[in-house]
Amino acid sequence: MAKNLLVVALREELGGEAICELEQLCDICFTGVGKLRAFEATLAALEAGEYANVINVGTCGSSKHPFATVLRPGRVAQGDIYVEGLFATDEEIIPTGDADVAIVSSDNFVGEETPASQLKLLQPYDCMDMESYAVLRAIKFYASRHTNTPKSYMLKVVSDGADGSVGEWSQRIERLRPTLLEATKSLIEKL
């Protein structure tokens, strides 16, 4: 069986019981919130062990998909670097994801204060989070320096409308945990 690394921003996304269950199936890396933390923690975990697969799971916001929808992004964009009204970096492709599902990662929450120019840039994406782009870049950076290239997988569950309503996240995650756990276990079993 291939050795798998599960990368998750926060312990709360899985909950204690699910963590114990998943630790029997794979190694788990908790990164903390944000792209810099996600990059550093993912890279450190990859350097500490040799993995065949890296699975980034967690919650995301989406104005296109309803609450509790499970998404498997096949495209990831860096959402915070802009040049003349466009994202300054190209999308990253995840061959193991759904090609028609795209996620954008930002270190900023989307809310009433988000400028219209930024909202317009986010419209083509199915969902957004704060770590996916950095996790994928850490995997690619690791692969550029080592002979093994772990396969990348992403599994996101919609927790909010990407509208600044994240204040209720801690209550929503209680309802989302079973969905996230089931989807994660199902993916790991297929690997």
Side-chain angles (χ1 to χ4, degrees), residues 1 13 24 29 44 47 60 70 100 103-104 113 117 120 137 154 167 180 187-188:
M1 185 155 108
E13 290 181 276
Q24 303 303 312
C29 168
E47 294 287 353
C60 66
V70 176
D100 60 339
I103 187 169
V104 60
E113 298 82 31
S117 60
K120 184 177 179 183
R137 292 299 301 165
M154 289 203 179
L180 189 57
L187 177 58
I188 291 171

Side-chain angles (χ1 to χ4, degrees), residues 7-188:
V7 178
V8 188
L10 300 171
R11 297 181 79 78
E12 294 85 356
E13 290 181 276
L14 296 175
E17 197 172 301
I19 291 170
C20 291
E21 194 172 335
L22 290 168
E23 284 177 331
Q24 303 303 312
L25 304 173
C26 61
D27 292 345
I28 304 176
C29 168
F30 294 101
T31 66
V33 175
K35 288 185 290 195
L36 183 56
R37 288 179 178 162
F39 182 87
E40 291 173 342
T42 302
L43 189 56
L46 288 169
E47 294 287 353
E50 195 166 314
Y51 297 97
N53 304 297
V54 179
I55 309 158
N56 176 223
V57 302
T59 58
C60 66
S62 177
S63 59
K64 295 182 177 186
H65 299 279
F67 178 79
T69 300
V70 176
L71 300 170
R72 294 268 312 266
R75 296 179 289 127
V76 184
Q78 152 71 299
D80 290 324
I81 301 176
Y82 307 98
V83 175
E84 298 176 13
L86 300 170
F87 291 138
T89 55
D90 293 330
E91 289 182 349
E92 296 286 343
I93 304 299
I94 308 170
T96 60
D98 297 327
D100 60 339
V101 177
I103 187 169
V104 60
S105 292
S106 174
D107 279 321
N108 299 298
F109 289 105
V110 175
E112 293 176 11
E113 298 82 31
T114 304
S117 60
Q118 285 180 307
L119 289 174
K120 184 177 179 183
L121 288 173
L122 299 174
Q123 286 175 349
Y125 297 93
D126 291 271
C127 56
M128 68 175 302
D129 76 350
M130 301 178 90
E131 296 84 25
S132 293
Y133 184 83
V135 169
L136 189 60
R137 292 299 301 165
I139 295 165
K140 288 189 170 207
F141 182 79
Y142 173 83
S144 74
R145 296 170 171 257
H146 296 81
T147 56
N148 67 314
T149 302
K151 283 189 177 179
S152 304
Y153 297 84
M154 289 203 179
L155 204 79
K156 300 294 173 172
V157 63
V158 177
S159 63
D160 61 83
D163 55 7
S165 62
V166 295
E168 303 165 9
W169 183 85
S170 60
Q171 296 157 358
R172 293 179 191 158
I173 194 61
E174 294 289 331
R175 296 184 3 231
L176 292 173
R177 278 188 193 129
T179 303
L180 189 57
L181 177 60
E182 182 181 325
T184 302
K185 285 173 47 179
S186 176
L187 177 58
I188 291 171

